[in-house]
Amino acid sequence: MSNESLANLLHERRRFEPPAELAAAANVTAEAYEQARRDRLGFWAEQARRLSWATEPTETLDWSNPPFAKWFKDGELNVAYNCVDRHVEAGHGERVAIHFEGEPGDSRAITYAELQREVSKAANALTELGVRAGDRVAVYLPMIPEAVYAMLACARIGAPHSVVFGGFSADALATRIQDADARVVITSDGGYRKGAASALKPAVDEALTRPGTEGVERVVVVRRTGQDVGWTEGRDLWWHELVDGQSEQHTPQPFNAEQPLFILYTSGTTGKPKGILHTSGGYLTQTAYTHHAVFDLKPETDVFWCTADIGWVTGHSYIVYGPLANGATQVMYEGTPDSPHKGRWWEIVQKYGVTIFYTAPTAIRACMKWGDDIPAKFDLSSLRILGSVGEPINPEAWIWYREHIGAGRTPIVDTWWQTETGSMMISPLPGVTATKPGSAQVPLPGIAATVVDDEAAEVPDGSGGYLVLTEPWPSMLRTIWGDDQRYLDTYWSRFENRYFAGDGAKKDEDGDIWLLGRVDDVMLVSGHNISTTEVESALVSHPAVAEAAVVGATDPQTTQAICAFVILRGSAAESEGLVGELRAHVAHELGPIAKPKRIMAVGELPKTRSGKIMRRLLRDIAEDRDLGDTTTLTDPSVMQLIQSKLPSAASED
């Protein structure tokens, strides 16, 4: 698609109707919205029946002590049984649950019967180590099948897991172990990333020297890379020596629906990570339903692939719990999209015949930057639904994704949700919604969300404000681990009786919702609220720009000044003329008030290993401060390269 036709398409604000064939056989139709409007709790009670309960719940929601919800509180179930055993009992034991693809090229096909055996052995191993229901287990693993086994084994015995992203430092790991008071840590010698073995065990060893980690009794180590590791006798155990000899039989015990399932830590404004607590019945109900509805999953024929890491909530909900509860066949990939070559993802799609693909806008924009010719080398005709997650997607990336990955025919489900919400909240339905590039559009059936102003009044169509949730939902966080008051202060104090998501949003003239990013990422410039996401989208819509990150820097005249960091496309060259052209382009797209004061061309942007841009570090540069912690970056040297360009950074008043 040419830049001119792309610009015309976006200018027309075109909608894309669902493919007729998909709509005719869709799992969920427009009737679901009306059903949920008539009886919201009845709707969720019906979705809970998608699961297998040892004791059927008779009460859907207890909201007697808001905002501390209890969903299906008199019901009992086992989450791992729902994700594994019941599929084997239904005769699907030979169905592939996970196609594992290692970065070096090794692969495994793990059936549901094999998954049942491995999870049972791991559950028996944890029990042998003395882990009981309610004990916390920290998981610090790469993207390998043992990560799934470990999480499900914890769920099977009622031990909440705390998965820590493998890219986090020893200090970050220690903080999470301390806060959760974990008894056992499951890790590996390392994993493969960008063609090399990346060590993990040393970070665990260092973390366990920190005060407050004395409660860790055992460290179980998966052998993945074969690299040498330090060893503490009496504490450290090899996974294969502990697990492989265990019985393949394990009877899952039913637990109350409000049994804690996992703690997942997310960043907080105070600097101390927040331990988001999710429980069992409500979480699994909504995660299974949204995976079924939003992806139109047909477990007999679909091959699903979510590219997230299990260290993030997307990996919890849409690699482990949602897909497996639905009996899906999915791909699990260890490495990065550009190793050993920039077509690696599309090679995997072709290899396994992936039909549903779910990834982040950051990754989509990286693929755009690498060139249209790369995906064109592979057969992507199996794809029938594409998904986006993690941040608002700019319309240009949305269109590129549809045209170059989806062959101009594949629906895109742009999903909004958070670690705190547990599962998807706002998204198109692929067989129902006429999609708009860049908009998550409407709350899913059974979800109540809207946009309000500073006084908590719902804004009219065509206006912006704050995204809030007005009714409890099954997969909602129950509290912040060990800190109920922080839970109240963080999420329920800004607007009375409403959950404030922390995101800005606007409603278009049709009432569809457009996410504007975190409120922290909404800049106040001369009294105007300007979204970093909107400025980034405007910059990326210029043919010279491949990717952009925008931050607000303190400015004595305008409160904040807009500072942009851009990666130029291959043939574009940095010059004062181009900077002026980009500023004029943003002014044309969004208005003169949105013109960046400074635009700096850079070779790369600072990103975490999960692909998120570290805007905090860019703000440090824009405001000439000492850099904060860079340990979670994929490549910390990127910051030095950006700083070295500062004296020549082009700007205009």
Side-chain angles (χ1 to χ4, degrees), residues 140-369:
Y140 186 66
L141 285 169
M143 285 290 290
I144 56 177
E146 286 79 4
V148 179
Y149 303 161
M151 292 168 72
L152 289 172
C154 289
R156 198 173 187 88
I157 64 174
H161 56 69
S162 173
V163 180
V164 181
F165 173 55
F168 277 150
S169 65
D171 283 339
L173 174 60
T175 298
R176 288 154 174 79
I177 290 172
Q178 292 162 2
D179 192 71
D181 192 19
R183 290 189 60 187
V184 171
V185 177
I186 302 175
T187 188
S188 69
D189 50 3
Y192 290 100
R193 191 169 187 85
K194 292 188 176 294
S198 175
L200 286 181
K201 177 64 161 48
V204 176
D205 293 337
E206 185 179 345
L208 295 184
T209 67
R210 304 289 194 267
T213 62
E214 298 85 1
V216 174
E217 300 164 3
R218 295 287 192 165
V219 176
V220 183
V221 186
V222 178
R223 180 178 283 157
R224 169 60 179 152
T225 62
Q227 63 202 101
D228 291 336
V229 294
W231 204 256
T232 299
E233 291 297 335
R235 185 197 71 183
D236 297 351
L237 297 162
W238 284 112
W239 171 284
H240 60 275
E241 293 180 356
L242 171 68
V243 175
D244 287 356
Q246 298 288 337
S247 168
E248 296 178 352
Q249 305 299 315
H250 181 274
T251 302
Q253 174 187 347
F255 294 98
N256 183 269
E258 284 299 317
Q259 171 76 9
L261 178 62
F262 65 86
I263 305 164
L264 187 57
Y265 287 85
T266 186
S267 58
T269 55
T270 65
K272 179 186 178 184
K274 306 187 298 284
I276 305 303
L277 175 66
H278 283 288
T279 56
S280 300
Y283 169 80
L284 194 63
T285 293
Q286 189 171 334
T287 303
Y289 171 71
T290 52
H291 183 260
H292 162 84
V294 173
F295 295 120
D296 192 47
L297 179 82
K298 309 292 196 284
E300 300 82 6
T301 54
D302 277 321
V303 178
F304 175 76
W305 184 15
C306 169
T307 68
D309 190 283
I310 53 125
W312 309 114
V313 72
T314 306
H316 283 54
S317 298
Y318 299 107
I319 293 178
V320 182
Y321 293 112
L324 295 177
N326 289 331
T329 295
Q330 64 177 320
V331 169
M332 182 179 187
Y333 174 52
E334 179 182 30
T336 61
D338 58 348
S339 183
H341 56 82
K342 289 182 170 63
R344 180 68 158 136
W345 274 4
W346 318 126
E347 181 179 63
I348 293 171
V349 168
Q350 176 178 277
K351 176 177 178 178
Y352 293 108
V354 173
T355 59
I356 305 167
F357 183 74
Y358 193 36
T359 195
T362 296
I364 297 167
R365 290 191 291 270
C367 293
M368 287 176 65
K369 180 178 70 175

Side-chain angles (χ1 to χ4, degrees), residues 394-418:
N394 54 301
E396 293 74 23
W398 194 105
I399 292 292
W400 185 91
Y401 194 27
R402 186 180 193 275
E403 292 297 315
H404 293 281
I405 308 304
R409 57 173 172 76
T410 306
I412 294 175
V413 288
D414 173 15
T415 63
W416 176 84
W417 57 295
Q418 302 174 307

Side-chain angles (χ1 to χ4, degrees), residues 9 24 37 97 102 114 126 131 135 236 245 286 399 446 588 600 634 641:
L9 185 59
R37 274 192 291 268
E114 183 179 353
L126 289 175
V131 178
D135 291 341
D236 297 351
Q286 189 171 334
I399 292 292
H588 177 266
M600 184 190 303
T634 302
L641 292 174

Side-chain angles (χ1 to χ4, degrees), residues 5 38 73 103 141 163 181 215 296 305 431 462 495 503 523 637:
S5 60
R38 287 194 306 266
K73 70 175 185 179
E103 191 186 81
L141 285 169
V163 180
D181 192 19
D296 192 47
W305 184 15
F495 300 106
D503 283 344
M523 301 168 291
S637 68

